[in-house]
Amino acid sequence: MSDTTVPVTVLTGYLGAGKTTLLNRILTENHGKKFAVVINEFGELGVDNDLVVDADEEVFEMNNGCICCTVRGDLIRILGGLMKRRDRFDGIIVETTGLADPAPVAQTFFVDEDVKRATRLDSIVTVVDAKHLSARLNDSSEAEEQIAFADLLVLNKMDLVSEEEAEAVERRIRAINPYAEIRRATKSDVPIEAVIGRDSFKLERILEREPEFLSGEDHHEHDSEVNSVSFEVSRPVDPEKFNAWMSDLLATKGQDLLRTKGILAYPGEDRRFAFQAVHMIADGDFIGPWKEGDARKSKIVFIGRDLNRPQLRRGFEACQVDS
Amino acid sequence: MSTAVSESDFLLAHRGVGQDLGAWVVGIAFGREGRSVGFALGDGTVRLAALADIRADWTVVEAHRGAVLAACADGKDGVLTGGDDGRLMRVAPDGTAVELAKYGSKWVEHVAAHESGIRAAAVAKAVHIVSAKGETEKSLAHPSSVGGLAFDAKGKRVAASHYNGASLWFVAAKEDKPRLLEWKGSHHAIAISPDGTHVVTAMQEQALHGWRLADGQHMRMSGYPTKTRSLSFTAKGKWLATSGAEAVVLWPFFGGGPMGKAPTELAGGDGVMCTAVACHPQHEVVAAGFEDGLVLLVEIGSGKVVPVAPPGRAPAGNGVSSLAWNPAGTHLAFGTEAGSAGLLDLAKR
Ligand SMILES: [Zn+2]
């Protein structure tokens, strides 16, 4: 199934961070691939491509009345339209405005049946300006959300900062999202293979990357509202207990949980169970077997606001089978 | 039934002709003049067939530079199309293509036309009303992108669905102010009942919503396993046929229904989703297309099924995307996402 779906890469980042420069770099590099590009109409620079679609960033609430359960109505329409001529491109790149919340974009790929059938979310790439990121983080929540959702962070404009400044910015990024890969860049000069075809949302690849900075209690950067916590348990996880706990958690705390990812060892099961959620919208399935000889430890990661670490830890630990 | 019938049991084998058009069949429209049918495709072309000789070569008309996104019968004759090249086009029965309007880089996603000659084209949040002469008369603004478009039977009103409801406009009004039909959520396909008393939309949430215009009474029609893409009232408006379930789901618009009434489900049982429906222009017969490429006719009163075209060979991605009858009810045409198409002559011989 996944072989016939078209990969979609989402580019986020503040105005002026270098998002459009990265987009044009991807489009003009000689890689033999054709892309359809969805841009917002207030884009900073022109985009040079055969197939460019204007988006209106229409964020629609779903009918459950919850403010975090949203999709991008324009994307549903545009992706549906593009599928009618899918032979003309190999992938789709969606550029969002600087103020966009990535959650509705990501949720669209989990919720809409037509979008799910024809496309897959490849990854969310966030371009940040090394010089101005700290100021952005202090004055807006969108910048935090864009970092929290990123699978790849392009730390751009490195020529404008010192090594110490760069390290300080990376520390702030990792406090919010230790699972994203950070690529330093000047004029968005990252290789296209690093950006396209990451398959970050594939369940098989959930938590494949080790965190670059395990934010233990002692490392907390308290100036960030969004941060991450992760836990590991060694006894197998009871699927019923886990489902009950997770459904309740997502229903009550989902608005604050930006991304949740987990790999679970079920009792008597040789395959790993992979799980991910964007706010309240969850997706999970069995993936490949545990490696021979590896400890079958279950892991879970939360990226979000006001995370109650002891409570989350107790909740996850209580999902284990009785010893 | 897919196992019990052979290829020759399908009407297509002896009453029709099949073609591989090589691109997504976005829409099919029979010209009101009664001579032609146009298959509008994802490759930007319209393939025109002559009803007098359905087996003759179909004409390839290069209508759009990208994909055709919408097609309907134009006012008097020929086919009206909208495309992702931002153009509203008219294809005459002789294959001549004329650009009626160009709306910049925005897509023309929905089109509608009435026999009086008036046309409507949905471009993002606007519905442009284009006269029989091809002049844009007015542009009607909506709060969000338009998801579906329909004229009423008299051509006096046009309905456009959007986020949180639908807008109903009097086309000839001096002052353009719509009647807003509100219901929370995202609305797509839209239909007006033949007598003009009801408006129904298909929603993102696998349900339909309806409004009885006389008193604004809401109607919720839910229980679909997938999104409904296709809505079609029977000729006299007694039934609303819909896609989106493992059967043709028909809602009764009589005897107080559809409120408090269960829908009738026909031609189900194979576990395959119905993806397109088209009611016969006179009789209580529905043509239905399924996810696997199967096309059939079902008589509403008896539930009797007549197979039209067999399921496609490709296991997936060949769902029926379009179905249409000619106004006389003698010809039926269908097309799939993978580009197979069929045209049948069902006139009594
Ligand atoms: Zn929610």
Side-chain angles (χ1 to χ4, degrees):
Chain A
M1 233 355 243
S2 60
D3 305 330
T4 61
T5 56
V6 177
V8 182
T9 304
V10 176
L11 283 185
T12 73
Y14 254 72
L15 203 67
K19 197 170 45 181
T20 310
T21 311
L22 176 60
L23 178 57
N24 276 325
R25 206 175 258 278
I26 295 168
L27 295 176
T28 52
E29 213 168 283
N30 188 15
H31 40 61
K33 283 200 162 107
K34 279 179 292 176
F35 295 102
V37 179
V38 181
I39 57 169
N40 63 80
E41 52 195 326
F42 308 108
E44 37 197 311
L45 296 167
V47 173
D48 183 21
N49 196 49
D50 285 346
L51 196 48
V52 179
V53 189
D54 274 351
D56 298 313
E57 302 209 337
E58 293 181 321
V59 176
F60 291 170
E61 279 175 32
M62 280 148 55
N63 245 356
N64 62 3
C66 172
I67 56 158
C68 76
C69 293
T70 50
V71 293
R72 279 273 303 270
D74 59 325
L75 262 191
I76 295 176
R77 286 189 300 111
I78 289 167
L79 295 175
L82 285 174
M83 285 312 122
K84 289 168 182 149
R85 48 193 276 185
R86 62 185 299 173
D87 52 316
R88 312 242 312 241
F89 49 84
D90 305 296
I92 299 171
I93 304 173
V94 178
E95 183 198 33
T96 69
T97 59
L99 292 169
D101 174 1
V105 182
Q107 287 169 170
T108 301
F109 291 86
F110 291 99
V111 167
D112 186 79
E113 66 196 56
D114 298 323
V115 170
K116 271 199 291 198
R117 188 165 66 106
T119 67
R120 65 179 191 274
L121 182 54
D122 184 74
S123 65
I124 297 178
V125 176
T126 300
V127 185
V128 296
D129 173 338
K131 181 101 187 150
H132 296 110
L133 180 67
S134 295
R136 283 282 110 86
L137 284 173
N138 293 340
D139 65 23
S140 82
S141 62
E142 289 90 359
E144 276 191 321
E145 275 159 6
Q146 289 171 1
I147 290 171
F149 273 97
D151 303 299
L152 170 68
L153 270 145
V154 177
L155 186 59
N156 203 22
K157 309 205 174 178
M158 280 297 297
D159 52 332
L160 303 181
V161 294
S162 67
E163 180 58 29
E164 292 74 49
E165 287 173 300
E167 280 171 16
V169 172
E170 286 186 351
R171 271 199 304 279
R172 278 201 81 171
I173 292 172
R174 286 180 178 151
I176 298 169
N177 181 348
Y179 291 87
E181 180 185 346
I182 300 177
R183 286 251 179 183
R184 293 181 174 191
T186 296
K187 297 200 171 67
S188 302
D189 58 342
V190 284
I192 172 176
E193 318 83 73
V195 181
I196 302 287
R198 298 176 62 87
D199 260 339
S200 312
F201 279 82
K202 243 197 183 148
L203 285 168
E204 284 83 358
R205 305 206 54 181
I206 296 296
L207 298 183
E208 196 178 70
R209 282 179 57 80
E210 288 297 320
E212 295 202 12
F213 180 83
L214 269 174
S215 56
E217 275 96 340
D218 28 331
H219 286 102
H220 256 190
E221 295 261 344
H222 288 286
D223 46 354
S224 289
E225 203 197 324
V226 176
N227 52 38
S228 90
V229 296
S230 58
F231 309 106
E232 204 173 77
V233 294
S234 43
R235 268 184 285 132
V237 164
D238 179 330
E240 271 179 38
K241 286 185 191 166
F242 179 80
N243 289 344
W245 174 61
M246 189 50 66
S247 322
D248 181 59
L249 187 64
L250 293 182
T252 53
K253 275 287 282 180
Q255 291 186 15
D256 291 329
L257 297 172
L258 304 182
R259 282 183 85 170
T260 306
K261 308 183 205 186
I263 295 281
L264 308 175
Y266 285 163
E269 173 59 61
D270 286 332
R271 293 167 301 168
R272 296 166 298 161
F273 189 85
F275 169 87
Q276 65 180 326
V278 173
H279 287 303
M280 296 174 175
I281 294 158
D283 177 29
D285 205 351
F286 286 105
I287 56 170
W290 292 94
K291 273 209 202 81
E292 199 81 33
D294 271 11
R296 296 187 176 187
K297 286 186 171 172
S298 299
K299 259 206 270 191
I300 197 157
V301 174
F302 298 98
I303 299 176
R305 291 195 179 83
D306 306 321
L307 301 176
N308 185 329
R309 170 180 281 270
Q311 203 180 343
L312 290 170
R313 178 200 298 270
R314 278 196 303 276
F316 188 48
E317 283 172 352
C319 294
Q320 297 174 96
V321 295
D322 300 328
S323 53
Chain B
M1 65 160 277
S2 46
T3 49
V5 288
S6 72
E7 194 97 349
S8 64
D9 293 328
F10 291 94
L11 278 179
L12 185 65
H14 39 102
R15 301 300 288 270
V17 56
Q19 286 241 10
D20 180 15
L21 302 179
W24 191 304
V25 182
V26 173
I28 302 174
F30 283 87
R32 287 185 221 266
E33 84 291 346
R35 287 183 285 123
S36 63
V37 56
F39 295 77
L41 307 185
D43 65 3
T45 65
V46 173
R47 310 298 172 93
L48 270 189
L51 301 194
D53 184 5
I54 59 175
R55 285 181 178 77
D57 283 347
W58 298 2
T59 312
V60 182
V61 182
E62 307 281 346
H64 293 273
R65 280 186 280 274
V68 186
L69 296 176
C72 68
D74 198 9
K76 296 266 180 279
D77 60 7
V79 179
L80 184 70
T81 61
D84 63 6
D85 56 357
R87 298 194 301 160
L88 177 68
M89 299 290 294
R90 171 186 144 70
V91 177
D94 68 358
T96 317
V98 180
E99 181 183 298
L100 296 175
K102 170 127 181 68
Y103 301 103
S105 62
K106 297 278 188 193
W107 293 1
V108 180
E109 289 186 87
H110 306 280
V111 295
H114 185 263
E115 60 189 22
S116 64
I118 197 142
R119 300 139 170 156
V123 181
K125 296 176 187 175
V127 170
H128 304 288
I129 302 295
V130 178
S131 72
K133 286 185 194 143
E135 284 149 6
T136 299
E137 295 191 331
K138 56 174 85 172
S139 296
L140 309 171
H142 298 86
S144 64
S145 293
V146 171
L149 196 57
F151 277 108
D152 67 8
K154 292 180 178 154
K156 292 208 164 119
R157 292 172 297 179
V158 66
S161 61
H162 43 76
Y163 185 47
N164 289 339
S167 295
L168 191 60
W169 305 82
F170 277 98
V171 179
K174 289 220 169 55
E175 193 193 346
D176 290 314
K177 206 167 166 276
R179 170 157 175 205
L180 201 55
L181 305 170
E182 287 178 286
W183 190 257
K184 215 167 151 14
S186 197
H187 302 255
H188 308 127
I190 189 164
I192 305 179
S193 62
D195 64 359
T197 57
H198 294 79
V199 172
V200 180
T201 60
M203 298 191 63
Q204 172 76 19
E205 280 85 9
Q206 304 168 357
L208 311 183
H209 196 81
W211 294 265
R212 187 164 67 198
L213 296 177
D215 57 1
Q217 167 79 47
H218 289 281
M219 297 173 269
R220 300 259 302 137
M221 290 158 272
S222 55
Y224 290 86
T226 66
K227 267 195 262 183
T228 294
R229 283 191 209 113
S230 181
L231 300 171
S232 176
F233 276 101
T234 52
K236 296 192 178 69
K238 217 172 140 189
W239 299 93
L240 175 68
T242 62
S243 71
E246 291 173 0
V248 181
V249 175
L250 294 133
W251 295 92
F253 276 70
F254 56 90
M259 283 85 75
K261 297 268 159 78
T264 296
E265 297 187 20
L266 298 176
D270 281 358
V272 180
M273 292 297 163
C274 175
T275 51
V277 289
C279 290
H280 189 276
Q282 287 94 35
H283 307 302
E284 289 202 338
V285 168
V286 188
F290 291 79
E291 210 177 17
D292 59 359
L294 173 74
V295 180
L296 51 77
L297 297 177
V298 57
E299 191 178 57
I300 298 173
S302 64
K304 195 178 153 236
V305 169
V306 178
V308 171
R313 277 161 205 95
N318 200 31
V320 175
S321 50
S322 308
L323 268 175
W325 290 97
N326 67 335
T330 55
H331 288 71
L332 173 70
F334 65 87
T336 71
E337 291 180 4
S340 354
L343 176 57
L344 294 97
D345 180 352
L346 303 173
K348 287 208 175 70
R349 290 176 186 170

